[in-house]
Amino acid sequence: VVTPVNAGVSSVRHAAAHRRSIRAFSADPVPRADMESILRTTGMAPSAFNLQPWRFVVVQSPDRIAALVDAAYGQRQVASAPAVIVLYTDTADAIATVDEVLHPDLTPERRERARASAQRALADMPDAEREEWGARQAYIALGYLLLAAEDHGYHTSPMLGFDAGSVKALLNLPAHVHVPALVAIGHGSEEGRPHHRHPIDRIVRFA
Ligand SMILES: Cc1cc2nc3c(=O)[nH]c(=O)nc-3n(C[C@H](O)[C@H](O)[C@H](O)COP(=O)(O)O)c2cc1C
């Protein structure tokens, strides 16, 4: 039995218990080192075939954030945020660069098999299915991102309410990518609402 490295350390529990959506931010910027640390943790999320199809654009320029407000139907959390993370997926890039993500410990034969099964799984998928596949992986990363930001002392607001075409045009993203979420991030200037969640016996059955 291998003991998990962080057994007994409660930082994930703490972050999950304390994070909440915050929709108003102070103007304090998010230093690049913090942003990189948060996104490094985010990138540790697992994904099918380890393909890691998630990509991020960190938007900090006031002009671009103003344009994102329009793309996000005027949502106030975008207007006051010092930064907005655009989470998008590029499954075409992921599959074309699969060599980068095959584990270096694999033998040449296993490497070839892993490459073939990853490419087979995605190659024949219709576009809509591929979009869905990418989004499934991306939402795992989104969960990591929200907890990592909280752990670094930042507040966040995840969003699905935006026009993806406008976001892609604003950031010159290629036509084939998809945008599963935006995340406003910064230091909150409001308390937000405490969690209101189902109790465990409402959502869990031990069988
Ligand atoms: C994928 C996703 C999309 C969301 N989209 C929006 C959104 O567009 N606008 C918004 O105000 N809140 C949005 N939310 C925030 C949810 O309303 C919020 O997470 C939920 O009510 C629970 O509250 P809490 O985050 O404060 O715990 C989104 C949350 C998630 C996870």
Side-chain angles (χ1 to χ4, degrees):
V1 176
V2 178
T3 308
V5 177
N6 289 322
V9 176
S10 65
S11 67
V12 172
R13 264 177 283 167
H14 189 271
H18 291 274
R19 80 140 290 285
R20 53 179 69 169
S21 291
I22 293 296
R23 297 182 176 85
F25 297 94
S26 76
D28 296 344
V30 183
R32 186 167 176 145
D34 286 356
M35 192 62 90
E36 286 183 350
S37 181
I38 290 165
L39 291 173
R40 201 172 293 118
T41 302
T42 302
M44 289 175 190
S47 56
F49 303 110
N50 196 31
L51 275 175
Q52 307 163 57
W54 43 71
R55 307 287 183 264
F56 307 89
V57 183
V58 179
V59 181
Q60 288 171 308
S61 111
D63 288 354
R64 289 212 179 89
I65 287 185
L68 279 179
V69 175
D70 290 340
Y73 312 123
Q75 294 201 62
R76 67 189 176 96
Q77 59 270 40
V78 180
S80 66
V84 177
I85 301 171
V86 175
L87 164 59
Y88 71 98
T89 58
D90 191 340
T91 48
D93 179 43
I95 206 68
T97 57
V98 65
D99 272 317
E100 291 176 24
V101 300
L102 294 173
H103 202 283
D105 289 354
L106 293 181
T107 61
E109 300 78 54
R110 289 197 58 198
R111 203 180 165 79
E112 203 35 63
R113 247 184 292 143
R115 184 208 324 275
S117 52
Q119 286 177 331
R120 209 173 29 245
L122 274 111
D124 298 329
M125 265 186 204
D127 282 351
E129 213 176 300
R130 226 191 239 209
E131 174 179 359
E132 162 87 32
W133 184 92
R136 282 188 209 149
Q137 320 304 318
Y139 288 126
I140 302 172
L142 175 65
Y144 271 53
L145 198 169
L146 300 179
L147 292 178
E150 180 74 25
D151 188 53
H152 282 74
Y154 291 95
H155 297 107
T156 54
S157 203
M159 280 168 280
L160 269 179
F162 59 88
D163 177 63
S166 306
V167 173
K168 283 167 64 172
L170 174 70
L171 300 173
N172 292 319
L173 294 174
H176 68 271
V177 309
H178 297 287
V179 187
L182 306 185
V183 180
I185 180 168
H187 290 290
S189 61
E190 64 173 22
E191 289 292 312
R193 279 193 295 267
H195 279 152
H196 180 60
R197 297 292 196 265
H198 282 310
I200 193 84
D201 58 2
R202 170 78 172 75
I203 55 169
V204 179
R205 185 166 69 94
F206 291 89

